[in-house]
Amino acid sequence: MQLRRTVAGAGAGILTLFLLSVAFPGGEAAAAVKNPTHNITKILAEHPEFSTFNHYLSATHLAEEINHRQTITVCAVDNAAMGELLGKGLSIFSIKNVLALHVLLDYFGAKKLHQITNGTALAATMFQATGSAPGSTGFVNITDLKGGKVAFGPEDNSGDLGSSYVKSVKEIPYSLAVIQISKVLPSPEAEAPTPAPNQVNLTSVMSKQGCKVFADLLTESGAISTYEESAVGGLTVFCPLDEAVKTFLPKYKNLTSDGKASLLLYHATPVYESIDMLKSNNGLMNTLATDGAKKFDFTVQNDGEVVTLKTKVVTARITGTLIDQQPLAIFSINKVLQPKELFKAALAPTPAPAPAPEKEPADKKKTKKHKLSSPPAPEPFAPEGEPADQKADDTGSGGRLGVSVAVAVGVGMGALMALFSF
Ligand SMILES: *[C@@H]1O[C@H](CO)[C@@H](O)[C@H](O)[C@H]1NC(C)=O
Ligand SMILES: *[C@@H]1O[C@H](CO)[C@@H](O)[C@H](O)[C@H]1NC(C)=O
Ligand SMILES: *[C@@H]1O[C@H](CO)[C@@H](O)[C@H](O)[C@H]1NC(C)=O
Ligand SMILES: *[C@@H]1O[C@H](CO)[C@@H](O)[C@H](O)[C@H]1NC(C)=O
Ligand SMILES: *[C@@H]1O[C@H](CO)[C@@H](O)[C@H](O)[C@H]1NC(C)=O
């Protein structure tokens, strides 16, 4: 019963989003990232007692997911409570699950918390929404106790409501509530060891499901290592089906090596987006190719169940899901995405002259979204004509393919060590 209610709440959020997007069509032009609704990092930064919680929301990329949600409650815990959680020595992926359990997919401001119908409710959470949570785990039981106290407990924890409401931190009715609760919600499921996402073999997932030509281009060019590095923190890939890539190959071969690399990196975004998130969060999306002034973005737009990706040149449609396992999602699309930075825009009826650059920018783009960059390697070992800008592949030695695994693992370890020296 209560479940249905919270789901209805989320539905209302989506409706709000829909209304907003109708009210401001095309108003997204200035946004660097797909119209975030909130900035949880900024909100929590005003409260030093939540600095550890805030740090981990960013480190796990949950902050981005929170920022894009329309109806959400974040149950923050103070630095002492986070210290206890960190003392358990969980991997960053398990910490992400635990924190995701603290993000309720409905609005629970202080007033609403104290007026829960029948005094108790189950709230869906971001942990449950990712599908990583088995059964009814991932729901949080909120119960009004005598004397105005409101208790919280994970549904899988046999009625232990050991954490309680402390105070309201920030409320934007009925969209975002940030409240403090006394303790981390204990959940064996959320804390369970989670396989690192970089153990998934990206190219083999693609190759087995109709995107082999694209996967081969990723491997050949070395762009795969940028994909693998990103997969540690969150990655969504839109891979064109074999037919589409084959048709496109002449144009691809015409690109400079820099252009090829940008085109391949253009097909992924460094955040996790489930199909539901794509459906409910239309707008501009940055890609792995986005680099300062070079926007390399496209617009996500859905029409009912159909999700399209629009560049100024082409409109592609999502045709299937190859894998959706937070923090990694790979979708197939029916066309190669052509960025306006590399290809002439389709003739539009508008009077805008928009002189598309005839040749690709040939300048170096060394900072191509290597999120955890390491010092620049000496000089590229690129054989003639091969992508010269893959030099950031972090190792002096050759053998790109084998090396890329080590890089991905190394980056993961580095991230963990950085986090735990915190
Ligand atoms: C959110 O705020 C933080 C801290 O003020 C800032 O560094 C970050 O760029 C902001 N994020 C967005 C998406 O605006
Ligand atoms: C509240 O409790 C009553 C009586 O047990 C029940 O009929 C009703 O459905 C409950 N309301 C909700 C929203 O769960
Ligand atoms: C929440 O937990 C309490 C205590 O175990 C229980 O009485 C109540 O029924 C639970 N609420 C829901 C909505 O399941
Ligand atoms: C992925 O699988 C392919 C073939 O199945 C293999 O050649 C490649 O080395 C694997 N990549 C990684 C990163 O393990
Ligand atoms: C390749 O580039 C040349 C010179 O810019 C152009 O004439 C030709 O049409 C291009 N071929 C394809 C397939 O785009």
Side-chain angles (χ1 to χ4, degrees):
M1 199 101 28
Q2 296 291 345
L3 287 187
R4 215 170 294 140
R5 212 169 52 74
T6 55
V7 169
I14 290 167
L15 179 62
T16 311
L17 173 68
F18 173 71
L19 292 175
L20 281 176
S21 56
V22 168
F24 303 104
E28 75 278 8
V33 185
K34 258 188 350 158
N35 319 328
T37 312
H38 319 289
N39 188 335
I40 186 69
T41 310
K42 193 169 175 186
I43 292 169
L44 285 172
E46 288 164 23
H47 304 270
E49 73 263 38
F50 303 122
S51 62
T52 311
F53 184 82
N54 198 14
H55 170 82
Y56 278 94
L57 283 187
S58 294
T60 56
H61 293 270
L62 281 170
E64 290 149 29
E65 293 183 44
I66 292 167
N67 292 345
H68 284 97
R69 290 273 183 166
Q70 298 292 314
T71 309
I72 201 110
T73 298
V74 178
C75 302
V77 295
D78 66 15
N79 294 342
M82 276 304 286
E84 269 182 53
L85 175 68
L86 298 178
K88 295 183 176 180
L90 305 177
S91 76
I92 188 72
F93 310 107
S94 298
I95 291 174
K96 179 170 187 171
N97 283 342
V98 173
L99 296 189
L101 184 66
H102 290 69
V103 182
L104 315 179
L105 304 182
D106 197 355
Y107 179 82
F108 287 100
K111 195 164 166 216
K112 185 170 164 190
L113 276 179
H114 289 94
Q115 293 175 351
I116 288 174
T117 321
N118 291 354
T120 184
L122 281 187
T125 70
M126 214 170 241
F127 177 46
Q128 176 265 332
T130 62
S132 329
S136 72
T137 62
F139 286 90
V140 168
N141 176 323
I142 307 173
T143 299
D144 280 345
L145 301 176
K146 296 264 149 46
K149 191 175 167 187
V150 182
F152 290 75
E155 175 63 359
D156 63 349
N157 205 39
S158 57
D160 171 11
L161 301 175
S163 188
S164 57
Y165 171 79
V166 178
K167 65 171 191 265
S168 170
V169 178
K170 172 92 179 177
E171 298 188 10
I172 305 170
Y174 290 86
S175 174
L176 171 76
V178 183
I179 59 174
Q180 182 187 357
I181 60 173
S182 60
K183 280 190 199 157
V184 170
L185 302 170
S187 164
E189 278 77 10
E191 291 174 17
T194 309
N198 56 354
Q199 284 165 5
V200 173
N201 184 325
L202 301 176
T203 52
S204 109
V205 170
M206 293 177 203
S207 298
K208 282 180 191 153
Q209 299 181 76
C211 299
K212 179 162 189 333
V213 185
F214 186 75
D216 289 348
L217 292 180
L218 288 178
T219 305
E220 265 167 49
S221 67
I224 188 65
S225 50
T226 306
Y227 274 56
E228 281 162 354
E229 286 166 29
S230 297
V232 176
L235 181 73
T236 304
V237 182
F238 303 97
C239 68
L241 293 163
D242 286 345
E243 276 313 304
V245 185
K246 281 181 194 158
T247 315
F248 182 77
L249 274 182
K251 277 187 169 175
Y252 177 78
K253 294 203 171 119
N254 229 10
L255 293 169
T256 61
S257 54
D258 222 7
K260 284 177 183 154
S262 296
L263 181 99
L264 295 173
L265 296 177
Y266 188 57
H267 284 77
T269 185
V271 287
Y272 165 77
E273 299 272 352
S274 66
I275 194 75
D276 286 334
M277 290 165 78
L278 290 170
K279 277 179 197 162
S280 65
N281 278 324
N282 288 185
L284 278 187
M285 180 177 275
N286 280 344
T287 66
L288 293 179
T290 303
D291 179 14
K294 289 167 200 146
K295 286 194 177 167
F296 282 104
D297 53 20
F298 56 74
T299 303
V300 179
Q301 198 171 316
N302 78 300
D303 178 9
E305 291 300 297
V306 180
V307 179
T308 59
L309 312 179
K310 293 185 171 181
T311 81
K312 290 275 187 291
V313 186
V314 72
T315 299
R317 182 168 48 84
I318 293 185
T319 60
T321 303
L322 309 191
I323 187 172
D324 181 356
Q325 210 177 83
Q326 203 201 21
L328 171 70
I330 306 181
F331 303 105
S332 57
I333 54 178
N334 68 337
K335 285 183 191 162
V336 172
L337 296 172
Q338 300 179 45
K340 67 173 188 302
E341 285 81 358
L342 295 177
F343 300 95
K344 281 191 176 160
L347 285 180
T350 54
E358 184 59 43
K359 48 180 187 177
E360 298 90 36
D363 53 327
K364 64 196 89 143
K365 30 168 54 190
K366 50 180 195 272
T367 56
K368 190 164 296 149
K369 198 71 195 184
H370 282 274
K371 279 191 290 192
L372 302 156
S373 58
S374 35
E379 249 321 279
F381 42 88
E384 35 103 25
E386 279 305 295
D389 63 329
Q390 297 304 321
K391 62 171 166 280
D393 279 359
D394 305 316
T395 50
S397 60
R400 278 181 207 160
L401 200 54
V403 165
S404 62
V405 185
V407 169
V409 172
V411 168
M413 297 277 291
L416 280 182
M417 285 164 68
L419 290 171
F420 286 106
S421 62
F422 182 80

